[in-house]
Amino acid sequence: MRFKTMLLVVVAVLVFGALSMAQPLQLAFWGGWTGPDGNVMRQLVAEYNSTHPNVHVTLTTMQWTPLFTKFLVSSRGGQSPNILAMHGPDVPEFASYGLLTPIGNVIKAAGFTAKDFAPAAWNGTFYDEKQYAFPLDLHMNSIYYNKKLFEKAGITPPTGWISGKEFLNMAIKLTIDKNGKHPGELGFDPNNIVQYGIALYSLNWHGFLEWYELLRQEGYDFLNPSMDKVGYPLEAGEKAWKWLQDLFFKYHVAPVGANSPLQDFLIGKTAMLEDGPWEIPAMKAQKGLEWGTFPIPQVFAHKAVWGSGHVLTIPVHQDKAHMKAAEDFVIWLVKHSDKWALSGNIPAYNPARKYASSLVGRNGFLKSAEYVAMLPRIPKESQVFSSASVSPIVVAGQNILVRNQDIMSVMKWMNQQIDMILAQ
């Protein structure tokens, strides 16, 4: 009897052990890719799962703001995901809360160094001299152009950076009123324009980003070196806003208050569009549209373009086995990020970025990658650079680019509001 009992125990242990070994370790991966980019990431996750039977990664996507809110709530309850994607400028905020694991040693052990990545992407993974993230990609503004409209106007599309004056001349030539006249010509009617040269965002926070990249082209940053106050010369800020404001109200090459600059470009109402690589799937889906990209114009002394980058973090977790599995997955993902280029994003990993150059429409983004200027990386990033409708940077952009208000007074108000947020 005793022998039978022992035998049953042994069998039970073996069966239980076998079942345990058969169950893959579960990893929760959260990201804010809610468009076609999410499908590309799902394909990468599926490939990982199919080649790593001992681990199963589940990708959850939602808009970035609710995603981060969910992360904060889940972290308090000890239920944080194993891998969390975010943007480089988001890192200081969550690292300052103590929610992210420093992973510089992991990155080093994997054989990665700064030379393996685009500098802007690599630099965006640090906070307080510690590395908290793997760089995944870069995304930045560029100029989309309609090939047919360029050909009709007799314009050869640029392949690299051009000056602000060259860009403006091109935009004027591509802007046509109902009588076929261009801005500056006798009889041009700005109230009856049938085709605009350029579509620019002005109702949301992208108006601020268009200004920020011009400020960086002048050689200035938005905040002071201590990052506790606004720190740029007012005259420089005014020049940058003025260049943008004139495109709308002086030269009439950009429609004022456009609700959907993307849609305007897709249907041929505008010949150019300044936007990021996340619009590439929309370009490919538009029947009959032939398009390409080139860098934004260099209006001032330096090449600079607003950009950001997705990074992959490992939230603090007590379970070491899950943390090690998460690290292995992220290392694999970075090494296979050439396929991530299909999402429109430009891989940060140099070997993976070479593949992006073979894809249609990446020229402008690839030639801009070296000059990406990210927003200041501060713990209050989400408050200072909020995209909410009441955010000072959004309101300032609307007042200058839509309502044509006095630049200096609006800018001083915006600076005061930002200083108040930073002082809290």
Side-chain angles (χ1 to χ4, degrees):
M1 187 65 183
R2 184 178 179 186
F3 174 76
K4 287 184 177 179
T5 301
M6 290 181 62
L7 183 61
L8 288 172
V9 170
V10 170
V11 170
V13 168
L14 290 174
V15 170
F16 179 76
L19 289 173
S20 298
M21 290 177 64
Q23 297 300 316
L25 188 148
Q26 300 291 323
L27 293 181
F29 176 22
W30 292 3
W33 305 294
T34 53
D37 47 3
N39 294 330
V40 176
M41 185 55 76
R42 285 188 188 86
Q43 291 171 7
L44 279 164
V45 170
E47 181 180 341
Y48 183 82
N49 287 337
S50 67
T51 54
H52 296 75
N54 295 328
V55 177
H56 185 85
V57 181
T58 300
L59 174 64
T60 299
T61 63
M62 63 180 70
Q63 295 286 337
W64 290 105
T65 298
L67 181 81
F68 292 151
T69 301
K70 182 178 179 181
F71 172 54
L72 290 173
V73 172
S74 64
S75 296
R76 293 191 194 105
Q79 299 295 320
S80 58
N82 304 104
I83 307 108
L84 176 67
M86 60 179 67
H87 303 89
D90 299 324
V91 169
E93 182 166 1
F94 294 109
S96 69
Y97 295 156
L99 300 178
L100 304 181
T101 307
I103 52 174
N105 59 333
V106 177
I107 294 174
K108 185 177 180 180
F112 294 130
T113 69
K115 293 180 180 178
D116 296 319
F117 296 91
W122 177 265
N123 295 336
T125 60
F126 287 84
Y127 170 66
D128 202 18
E129 299 183 357
K130 292 181 181 177
Q131 192 165 20
Y132 285 91
F134 288 83
L136 178 62
D137 66 48
L138 283 173
H139 43 265
M140 68 292 289
N141 280 339
S142 193
I143 303 294
Y144 291 90
Y145 67 91
N146 184 314
K147 290 185 178 181
K148 289 181 179 177
L149 297 182
F150 267 60
E151 185 178 351
K152 191 176 179 180
I155 300 173
T156 301
T159 57
W161 289 75
I162 60 174
S163 69
K165 185 177 180 180
E166 290 173 308
F167 180 82
L168 178 59
N169 289 338
M170 205 162 58
I172 289 175
K173 199 169 182 179
L174 289 162
T175 301
I176 308 169
D177 73 3
K178 66 176 183 179
N179 298 313
K181 294 184 179 298
H182 305 282
E185 290 183 350
L186 185 64
F188 172 74
D189 183 359
N191 295 315
N192 285 290
I193 296 173
V194 296
Q195 177 184 299
Y196 286 90
I198 175 73
L200 291 169
Y201 286 89
S202 55
L203 294 174
N204 59 22
W205 79 313
H206 281 261
F208 173 84
L209 300 178
E210 292 154 3
W211 169 79
Y212 174 75
E213 62 197 10
L214 294 180
L215 184 71
R216 295 297 300 269
Q217 287 193 4
E218 293 185 82
Y220 299 105
D221 210 332
F222 184 61
L223 301 180
N224 65 9
S226 301
M227 295 197 180
D228 55 5
K229 293 191 73 174
V230 172
Y232 63 90
L234 289 175
E235 295 75 17
E238 185 179 37
K239 284 170 62 178
W241 279 121
K242 183 79 171 96
W243 197 86
L244 290 169
Q245 193 181 53
D246 283 350
L247 294 177
F248 293 98
F249 298 104
K250 181 179 179 180
Y251 300 111
H252 307 288
V253 298
V256 178
N259 286 314
S260 179
L262 170 63
Q263 188 63 23
D264 289 345
F265 178 78
L266 292 175
I267 63 176
K269 182 179 178 181
T270 56
M272 295 184 285
L273 166 70
E274 177 170 340
D275 212 336
W278 50 83
E279 303 296 10
I280 286 178
M283 302 293 162
K284 293 168 66 176
Q286 184 71 12
K287 287 185 177 179
L289 177 65
E290 296 178 22
W291 58 280
T293 61
F294 59 86
I296 68 164
Q298 182 185 345
V299 179
F300 299 106
H302 309 280
K303 292 185 178 73
V305 57
W306 169 81
S308 188
H310 294 120
V311 299
L312 302 166
T313 66
I314 310 291
V316 172
H317 234 273
Q318 297 298 320
D319 188 323
K320 301 303 180 186
H322 281 79
M323 290 188 68
K324 178 64 172 64
E327 293 164 4
D328 291 343
F329 167 68
V330 171
I331 291 168
W332 180 92
L333 194 55
V334 170
K335 289 183 176 178
H336 292 75
S337 57
D338 53 339
K339 296 170 185 173
W340 181 234
L342 295 171
S343 69
N345 293 287
I346 306 301
Y349 187 45
N350 292 338
R353 200 160 59 255
K354 290 179 181 177
Y355 172 66
S357 63
S358 67
L359 302 175
V360 173
R362 269 57 170 194
N363 171 66
F365 301 106
L366 288 168
K367 289 189 174 174
S368 302
E370 185 180 347
Y371 305 101
V372 165
M374 292 192 185
L375 294 173
R377 303 176 61 258
I378 52 176
K380 291 185 178 178
E381 184 266 347
S382 63
Q383 300 170 60
V384 172
F385 302 111
S386 168
S387 61
S389 60
V390 296
S391 168
I393 63 171
V394 176
V395 174
Q398 291 175 348
N399 286 342
I400 293 171
L401 304 181
V402 180
R403 303 184 183 96
N404 200 22
Q405 292 183 3
D406 176 69
I407 293 174
M408 190 59 80
S409 59
V410 172
M411 199 168 54
K412 287 180 178 177
W413 172 84
M414 178 184 75
N415 292 352
Q416 184 182 40
Q417 298 297 308
I418 298 299
D419 282 343
M420 288 172 61
I421 295 173
L422 289 168
Q424 290 172 357

